């Protein structure tokens, strides 16, 4: 029998919880001189949200100085990014948090004891989900907030946002050419074989990255896991760090190697080694402007050459990814064939894609184990 029940779409993934303070995060009212205390359940929840990669902020009608002192005294100040403390409307505070974190309203929970404040935010920002702290605890207990799986990037999400804030301050203050700014970041790109712990983040990248993406192919974790075991494929992840901290896992390359590495090892003098084909190469938009896509391409091409193979790349045009075709061309790739939905490019044998002077490239070349021979390539 056909199910005729209406389909209820899943709620958007929660990325941020914005807390009111008085009688919400803590019991009591600061301005009235109450003896404030933070319920242990709230302390545990703040830590749990943070450990699961959910960002947190504050929207409070109070004086900033005393609030900062009390949050510090409670040992909670480090958990809250871009706290909004003052006398503006709560909706204005929420908008400021959304702008600073660059997230959408439907990914935010606003927690406040005041029905008036919740109604004001709901009127101005209807996508934001508003609730009391009791309702928040119930929603968490019901499985409606925490992600089912926590990646390494999620665990360090707050620290990555803090690092990005320091980068932006440095960029605003920097006086000089763009390339000198990039050099001042002291960036290191590490490219290595994906391990099981990387697959959730890698799958997320294929599903959420559309602009800096060469073919738009999406993979789930199971598909990527299968490819990591396939003798004719390599799945590489790229991690970027700089002087301010880590960007996390920001790149992915899925490569068809044409034949098992074991076969190549058994017959290293074979006359014909199939080229490595880049089926998918992508970079997270969080590193847009860092110009490290060309560095990942260089890493793949150099790995292929180290295995005696040439490099072929596939490009499927979309409304948003033309920049990646330009990146391939600047790296020295030439167009071999073109149809409406597929461009096949190859790298001439004599070309060696350059690594920008402002990036240090470290490549871990081991198709079996998570760690192996490491080669540092800087030119």
């Amino acid at each position: 029998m056909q199910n005729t029940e209406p389909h209820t779409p899943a709620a958007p993934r929660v990325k941020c919880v914005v807390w009111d303070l008085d009688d919400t995060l803590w019991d009591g009212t600061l301005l009235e001189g109450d003896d404030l205390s933070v319920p242990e359940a709230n302390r545990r929840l703040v830590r749990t949200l943070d450990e699961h990669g959910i960002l947190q902020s504050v929207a409070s009608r109070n004086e900033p100085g005393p609030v900062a002192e009390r949050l510090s005294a409670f040992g909670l100040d480090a958990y809250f990014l871009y706290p909004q403390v003052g006398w503006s409307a709560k909706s204005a505070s929420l908008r400021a948090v959304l702008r600073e974190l660059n997230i959408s309203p439907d990914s935010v929970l606003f927690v406040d004891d005041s029905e008036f404040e919740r109604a004001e935010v709901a009127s101005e920002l209807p996508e934001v989900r508003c609730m009391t702290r009791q309702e928040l605890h119930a929603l968490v207990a019901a499985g409606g907030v925490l992600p089912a799986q926590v990646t390494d990037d999620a665990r360090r999400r707050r620290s990555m946002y803090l690092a990005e804030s320091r980068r932006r301050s440095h960029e605003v203050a920097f006086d000089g050419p763009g390339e000198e700014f990039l050099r001042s970041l002291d960036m290191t790109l590490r490219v290595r074989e994906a391990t099981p712990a990387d697959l959730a983040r890698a799958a997320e990248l294929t599903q959420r990255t559309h602009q800096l993406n060469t073919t738009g192919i999406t993979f789930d974790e199971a598909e990527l896991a299968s490819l990591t075991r396939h003798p004719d494929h390599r799945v590489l992840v790229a991690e970027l760090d700089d002087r301010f901290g880590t960007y996390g896992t920001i790149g992915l390359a899925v490569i068809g190697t044409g034949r098992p590495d074991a076969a190549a090892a058994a017959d290293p003098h074979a006359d014909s080694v199939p080229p490595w084909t880049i089926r998918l190469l992508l970079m997270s938009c969080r590193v847009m402007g860092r110009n490290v896509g060309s560095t990942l391409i260089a890493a793949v091409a150099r790995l292929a050459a180290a295995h005696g193979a040439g490099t072929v790349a596939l490009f499927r045009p979309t409304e948003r990814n033309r920049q990646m075709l330009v990146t391939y061309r600047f790296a020295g790739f030439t167009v071999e064939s073109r149809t409406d939905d597929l461009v096949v490019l190859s790298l001439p044998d004599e070309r060696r894609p350059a690594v920008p002077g402002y990036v240090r490239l470290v490549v871990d070349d081991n198709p079996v184990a998570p760690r192996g021979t490491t080669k540092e390539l800087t030119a």
Side-chain angles (χ1 to χ4, degrees):
M1 180 177 180
Q2 185 176 4
N3 184 2
T4 57
E5 291 295 321
H7 174 67
T8 301
R13 182 167 66 94
V14 177
K15 297 182 180 178
C16 181
V17 174
V18 179
W19 296 80
D20 171 49
L21 295 178
D22 293 332
D23 290 322
T24 301
L25 179 67
W26 55 52
D27 290 333
T29 303
L30 178 60
L31 283 178
E32 294 178 3
D34 292 345
D35 184 15
L36 306 180
S37 63
V38 178
E40 184 57 32
N42 281 1
R43 287 182 178 274
R44 288 196 304 269
L45 183 54
V46 167
R47 291 193 297 267
T48 297
L49 292 171
D50 186 70
E51 290 164 358
H52 284 74
I54 295 175
L55 305 173
Q56 296 170 89
S57 189
V58 162
S60 174
R61 290 180 184 273
N62 266 302
E63 293 293 340
V67 163
E69 291 174 5
R70 296 315 297 262
L71 286 174
S72 177
F74 287 131
L76 297 174
D77 53 317
Y79 288 99
F80 300 108
L81 302 177
Y82 306 109
Q84 303 298 308
V85 182
W87 303 105
S88 300
K90 291 291 181 76
S91 60
S93 295
L94 267 291
R95 285 193 176 97
V97 172
L98 294 171
R99 182 174 60 254
E100 293 290 350
L101 296 179
N102 192 27
I103 56 178
S104 60
D106 63 1
S107 66
V108 173
L109 306 183
F110 172 57
V111 189
D112 199 305
D113 67 300
S114 167
E115 184 176 356
F116 171 82
E117 301 289 13
R118 297 195 306 272
E120 190 271 333
V121 170
S123 173
E124 295 296 319
L125 294 166
E127 302 97 330
V128 172
R129 286 169 278 175
C130 303
M131 61 194 65
T132 65
R133 76 183 187 192
Q134 292 83 3
E135 290 168 334
L136 173 62
H137 283 281
L139 186 61
V140 172
V145 177
L146 304 179
Q149 187 170 14
V150 184
T151 65
D152 287 342
D153 274 29
R155 292 187 186 93
R156 55 192 179 187
R157 184 163 287 136
R158 172 168 55 95
S159 65
M160 289 195 293
Y161 268 88
L162 291 170
E164 181 59 25
S165 177
R166 294 192 292 270
R167 281 185 204 103
R168 288 193 302 201
S169 297
H170 172 64
E171 185 170 12
V172 169
F174 189 85
D175 184 17
E179 186 165 329
E180 287 304 310
F181 164 71
L182 294 175
R183 193 181 302 277
S184 75
L185 294 177
D186 190 22
M187 292 184 286
T188 297
L189 186 74
R190 292 179 172 84
V191 180
R192 59 177 175 80
E193 202 78 18
T195 69
D198 296 310
L199 299 184
R201 171 60 177 164
E204 180 184 62
L205 281 171
T206 72
Q207 294 152 15
R208 296 177 56 192
T209 303
H210 306 293
Q211 188 167 351
L212 304 181
N213 185 320
T214 58
T215 57
I217 300 172
T218 61
F219 295 98
D220 61 25
E221 286 183 60
E223 291 169 328
L224 287 171
S226 177
L227 288 174
T228 63
R229 296 188 297 267
H230 197 288
D232 283 352
H233 278 82
R234 302 284 296 268
V235 179
L236 305 177
V237 292
E239 300 164 318
L240 185 66
D241 301 308
D242 68 12
R243 59 185 280 196
F244 297 103
T246 184
Y247 296 78
T249 301
I250 50 80
L252 176 70
V254 177
I255 305 157
T257 59
R259 66 173 180 161
D261 277 338
D267 186 9
H269 303 295
D271 293 333
S272 177
V273 177
W276 285 19
T277 300
I278 306 175
R279 296 178 56 195
L280 169 68
L281 186 141
L282 62 80
M283 304 293 292
S284 168
C285 290
R286 73 173 64 153
V287 295
M288 188 174 290
R290 298 297 180 257
N291 299 338
V292 292
S294 60
T295 308
L296 179 55
I297 292 172
V300 174
R302 294 180 182 195
L303 278 172
H307 288 261
T311 309
V312 170
L314 307 182
F315 175 80
R316 295 186 182 278
T318 69
E319 294 179 354
R320 303 178 62 186
N321 72 345
R322 178 172 171 76
Q323 180 177 341
M324 296 305 288
L325 178 59
V326 173
T327 302
Y328 272 141
R329 297 304 303 273
F330 271 113
F333 283 75
T334 59
V335 174
E336 295 294 322
S337 65
R338 184 192 297 267
T339 64
D340 289 342
D341 63 352
L342 179 65
V343 180
V344 178
L345 306 101
S346 66
L347 185 68
D349 291 341
E350 68 276 8
R351 290 300 297 265
R352 186 183 189 218
V355 176
Y358 47 77
V359 182
R360 186 168 68 99
L361 173 61
V362 178
V363 179
D364 181 0
D365 181 15
N366 190 328
V368 179
R371 287 288 185 269
T373 302
T374 298
K375 298 179 181 179
E376 184 172 319
L377 307 172
T378 57

